[in-house]
Every structure is written in C-alpha cells, then in structure tokens.
Amino acid sequence: MMEEGVIRDVFKSYNRYPVPVSVSIMTEKGICFDTKTKNLTISTEWSQCDVDRGIRLHFSQHWNLQCNGNILKKSVCLGPSINTHGEILSRYSPSGVHRAVIRDVVGHQYLEVWGCNGLEKSLDLTAMNKHGKVYEDAQFACLVWSPCEEKLLYVAEKKRAGPSANDSGSLGVLEEDDKNVYVEDWGEGLVGKSVPVLCVANLTKGEVTMCPGVPAHVSPGQASWTGDGQTVIFVGWWHEPFRLGLKFCSNRRSAVFSIDLKGNCELVSCDSGSVMSPRLSPDSLWLVYLQGKVFGPHQQCLCMMLYDMKNRTTSVLVDVVKRAEEGQFMGVYEPLPLHCWSSDSERLFFSSACENRKLLFSVERQTGRVTPVQDTVWKEFGSVKLLAVMNDLMVMSCSSPNHPPSLEVGFIPDGKHKRTVQWSHLGGADAYEGFDWESMMITPTPEEENHQFSGIRFGAMLLKPASCFKAVRFPLVVFIHGGPHSHFAAEWNVTAAALSKLGFAVLMVNYRGSTGFGQDSIDSLLGNLGSQDVKDVQRAVLHVLQNNKTLDPDRVAVMGGSHGGFLACHLIGQYPEFYRACAARNPVINAATLLGTSDISDWRYSSVGLEYSFDQLPSAQALSTMLEKSPIVHAAQIRTPVLLMLGGKDRRVSPYQGLELYKALKSRGSPVRLLWYDDGHSLSKVETQSDCFLNVALWFKQHLNINRTSS
C-alpha cells in the first residue's frame, strides 16, 4: 500500500536537495608569480528545505579554483557549508576583501560589513529610522558596493511622515498617517512594498542618506553604480494612477534612469515600454537591458537593448523572436544574471527557455549575433541556468527531471576559435534518480490549428518510473503549468520527481502560449483561453497514450496551479469521462468574478483578447466573454473527484474562486475536498508544500486505485 509515511519520506528526500541561488567569484592577487597561474575563490549561496522543521534554510559554500590561464586544474572545497540564517541580503566587495550583510535580528535590521578580522562595521538601520524595511525580493532589491568600497546601495520602504506642526503650532496628523487610509502595494508576493527608495550607506561616515531626485511617479529598484561610483543606474516603475501586481509580470510600464548623488536624474531608455535587468559592462562603456511591451501577456519575448554610455545612443542588440526553426534560439524571456559580461566587454552570456529546455547562449556586442554555447554538458543535463560570469568563468546550475541541481563551472570559449567549454562539477547533487524522461514536440491537428498563427507546434515531457521486469501499466498524471505564459523546462521538479518515484508517470505540457517557443506562440493564446490551451493539453495526453503502451489509459489524473488549475478544471468539465482525479491549486474558476479581486486585473481583459487601460470599466459584453471562457460554465458536467488547495492570503487568484467551484460541486453531489492554507498564491511555505503533496498523492492513490509503490 502507498502509506502516508512512504509519501512523506519520498517528498522529504527530494525536496531536501539544495538549490544554488547566487555566486560571487573573486581573484586572489599577489599569490602566484607565474602570470598564467591564478587562484579564484567562488562563494555560493544555496537554499534548502527542511521538511521536518517546516523551514527553508540558507547556507553558503566556498571553493578555491587553481587555474592555468583559462584551464581549471584543481578545485578544493573550503570546509563545510555555513548556515546564513538571518541574512536577507549579502554581497562581496569588488576586491573580495569585505562582505556586506543585511541582517534581521529580533525586529531590527542591521547593515554589517565583515572582513578578515571579523565584524568591521555595523549600522542599526532600524534605530537610525531613515527608512522602513529593506527590500529583499527579486523584483526591486539590490545590495551593491561602490567601486571605492566606501558606499553601499540598497532599496528600502520609504519612511512614513510623522506628525507635523500646522499653522496654529499644534501637531496634526497627515492624511497618509491615518491608520485607516488605504496604502497600495505591489501585489502578490510584494505585500507591504509600496514606495521604495534608493538608500546609500556611507561606511566611512556611518550614515545613511536617501538618493534625491528620483521622479515622484516611479518606484525605483534594480539599482547599480556606474564605473566612477558617482552615478546610479536604476529601473523605475510607474505607480500612477495605481499599482498593478508586479511579481511574474514583465509588462509593467517602466524605464531605465541614471541619477547622480546630487539628485540630477536622466531618462536612459524610452519611457513607453517595460524594462528590467540593466547590466553595465566591465569597461563601463556599455549598458544592456531587457525591454518589452506594456500590458498584454504578463511574460513575453523581450528585446535586449544596448546603450552607449559615452555617446548616449540606444540600439537593439537582440530583437524579439516571433518564431524560429525547431532547436534554434527562441528569444529572451527571463532576467539577465547580475554578472553576464565577458571581461573584455565584447560578449554577454545568458540562459533562456528554448522549447522544452533552458539553454545557454552568448551574444556579440558589436554584431548582435546570438550563438548557443554548445558542449558536452547538454548530453548530461536537460537544462542550465547561468548564475554568473566573472573573470571569464561561468557558473551554472544544471539539472534534469531525474537529476537534482548541480553546480558546474567552465571558462567562456575563445570568441575567435570555436571550441567546447570544459565543464567541471563543483557542488550540489551528482547522482541520477531511478526514472526516465523524454522530451517531445507535438503538432496540433488541422481542426485545432490557429489559422492566425498557423504552423506552431508545442512541447511536452514525459517522466516514467524505472522499468520493471514484469509488464506494468503506469497511471498517468497530467501536470499543467500556470502563467499561462510560463514554461516547464527539462529540469529538476520536486513534485514531478516524487510522483514518478511513487509509481506515477507524469506528463508536463508546454501548450501553445508557453514561453520558449517564440512570441507568435505567446500571442496565439490571447482570446483563445479555455479552448486552444485545453485542446493542446488533451492532444498531448492522447499522443503519449497512443505512443506509449506502458501507460494506463483508464487511470489518468490531472493537476495544476493558477492557470494550470484553470486548465485542469476545464479538462474535467469538457472531457467528463476521461480523467479519474483532479488536484487544483488556487485555480481560476470564473474570470468574470475574478476581475475585481485580482492584483492583475489587466490580465482578465488581455486574456480574452480585449485591450486594457487603467480607466477601464467592465461592460456586460466583456464580463460575458470572461464567463464563457471559464471552467465554471462546465461545472455541471464534472464527475471527476476534485481536490482543491487554496491560499487564504492569495492576492492574485482569490481563494473564493476555488470556493465557487467547491459549492457548485457540493450542490450536485460531485466528490470534492477543499484544503485552506494560511499562504499566498504560490503556496510556497515548506509546510504547505509538504501537506499539498501528501494530499495530492493520497487523492490520486484513492481514485486511481494505486496499491503499490515504485521500487
């Protein structure tokens, strides 16, 4: 029997694999007399789940690399991992001599500077009362040393004004100080982050000042110094007339600005697009950043722009890829690594979704030519994520559906001579799990073709338990990603891996509209939600059932979160006799009723093919269109047992969406179970993840008649 203890143990063991988060690379100077010989120190930050304690651990690990030119001769791990609990941000200085840390300690935040002789400087930021909490998120946050190593740049919440004296001399309370006045924030995952400010800590003077001159209509973040340390480059997001959800949304109006410490601010990019990831070249002459359109799909194929710092001119370095031949570069979809330039400022390196994988590419600054970095690493791993390029050394997190994250290093190839990169394993997992996977491309039938965007194929990956000596037909779990403009890469996925270990085959579908297949694929889904994406998933299921006789067509389940939950509920409504079980996390059930409760109300219009503007008011026709494309219209046909997992603090998809389906099913006597968590949209707390997986596995076991575990 598939007992609870077995399920818990499998999930705990797979969720325990550490994941590399960030990397710093430093050169040890003055040690070797041979100019070809150099020592590099790599400092890495990792995240690891401790299911037993229900917490996410963070630790650092360090290596010394002995190199002859750009050839790695030897790597040495410098002792055991070090717990970095309490650190919300950290960064090594350019020389590698100092390490800055923003630390949370019992309600106070400290800025610490550590050196060879221990703690060298400590500023109690809370007691200084210059600003609110320091930002640590992936959207706004930064912690950057000035080139002279005397200043640190970071982002924090603006201090609220206190009581002020009015004309009569008595103290009055400003409107924004009234505790009952509504304060906007930036939505799901950014709760409490409303008005960010750029902060400069002067380590010599021991004081913190706010960067003056930031335009009042933008919220600053992703900041960095220019080469002279006198100017700051940052991204500013428009927050007027009101804020829309920013997390996972690369389509918010924003621009790149430069500002000096006297408050003189200039616009660097255009001010009508959406930007991210400004990255200055090592010679400080060139700035690249990513740019997309405002509104429309929340994730999109982005342009890579090149700004000439000296001549103040801008050009397109890498354009949007509408579509490409299979196996070719499919465009840029995600933020650039913090360090992505070659040391000669001639090339940039980045990883990007490409069909069912995530691959490594380089782009030449002078020509814009994009080249895949081809080498033997692709034979071993399904996907790679570039963490950093410094001193011409690349550090990547590599994994596959059956291989947990591994840290690999290699020097960038010579731009003049084609040669493969010599990769070396540094840390992380170095073992394969006992199940198989395959990647596939699927062609829609003529009836399912989108004639406005014809000829677009989509992807899927199939994971299967290890082959047994006797014939076994595996139950199939159809796993659907959210977004919808997101992506399943051929990388380590704890949920899919653990289900495979427990004896399920898992089909992960990249339906048309997923990232990594060109902008045409993304645009093809607009106005076609609830039909094109539903048919793609069902087509993928029929494809693998027809071509793989080890799968049991009578035991098929479906699961997904957010838009993946939307599709799962559509499938069991549109194909009521096909699926034996369904598990949905924070699903969109009724787009019409979601309109007024989501932090991304613009998407409700864009998704059904309607233009959005801030002053948009819902019309009867728009609401009718949203309702028609929602799973709730098929609820009366649902017979499949449904497990709903909802986050009570979800700002993106209100938990009342799931409750709407729950009540519709309960009233018709259809099997349904609802779990309510004190969590947000991603249900990302460790204890929530563990409980969700346990309940999903037990739900599928019960309704698919699973009576054994995989060996």
Side-chain angles (χ1 to χ4, degrees), residues 289-440:
Y289 58 91
L290 303 181
Q291 180 172 293
K293 295 180 180 179
V294 177
F295 297 142
H298 280 99
Q299 297 288 352
Q300 52 192 306
C301 189
L302 303 168
C303 290
M304 186 182 295
M305 308 298 292
L306 179 68
Y307 179 74
D308 185 329
M309 297 287 288
K310 182 178 179 180
N311 297 313
R312 300 190 177 189
T313 56
T314 305
S315 59
V316 176
L317 187 61
V318 180
D319 210 343
V320 168
V321 176
K322 293 282 188 180
R323 64 175 77 186
E325 295 295 323
E326 286 186 17
Q328 300 301 307
F329 173 62
M330 291 286 178
V332 184
Y333 299 92
E334 57 191 68
L336 298 173
L338 197 59
H339 299 281
C340 57
W341 285 89
S342 61
S343 59
D344 60 6
S345 301
E346 292 295 332
R347 285 177 291 168
L348 294 103
F349 293 81
F350 61 95
S351 47
S352 187
C354 187
E355 295 174 348
N356 294 323
R357 296 174 180 258
K358 188 176 291 184
L359 301 178
L360 178 65
F361 298 92
S362 69
V363 56
E364 297 174 1
R365 178 184 58 77
Q366 296 188 41
T367 65
R369 179 170 171 262
V370 178
T371 308
V373 181
Q374 303 284 8
D375 46 57
T376 56
V377 75
W378 311 141
K379 297 178 182 178
E380 184 176 356
F381 299 105
S383 290
V384 299
K385 179 181 179 181
L386 181 65
L387 298 176
V389 179
M390 298 174 71
N391 298 302
D392 287 342
L393 182 72
M394 296 182 289
V395 184
M396 298 195 307
S397 174
C398 307
S399 70
S400 298
N402 61 350
H403 192 302
S406 168
L407 199 67
E408 309 290 320
V409 298
F411 284 98
I412 65 174
D414 187 336
K416 299 178 182 178
H417 306 93
K418 287 189 175 181
R419 65 177 179 84
T420 58
V421 179
Q422 301 299 313
W423 294 101
S424 300
H425 174 74
L426 207 59
D430 193 20
Y432 287 93
E433 294 296 333
F435 47 87
D436 305 315
W437 68 278
E438 61 177 299
S439 174
M440 63 196 78

Side-chain angles (χ1 to χ4, degrees), residues 566 588-596 604 607-608 623 625-627 629-632 657:
F566 168 92
V588 175
I589 298 300
N590 185 339
T593 57
L594 181 59
L595 180 62
R604 303 278 65 82
S607 65
V608 298
L623 292 174
T625 302
M626 294 175 193
L627 177 62
K629 296 180 180 296
S630 299
I632 194 67
Q657 287 283 300

Side-chain angles (χ1 to χ4, degrees), residues 60-96:
S60 64
Q61 181 63 283
H62 308 272
W63 284 269
N64 174 259
L65 273 56
Q66 299 173 17
C67 311
N68 185 0
N70 280 359
I71 299 175
L72 177 60
K73 292 297 186 180
K74 184 180 180 182
S75 63
V76 179
C77 182
L78 302 177
S81 303
I82 301 171
N83 186 356
T84 56
H85 175 72
E87 297 184 4
I88 65 170
L89 291 171
S90 66
R91 182 64 53 84
Y92 280 89
S93 65
S95 66

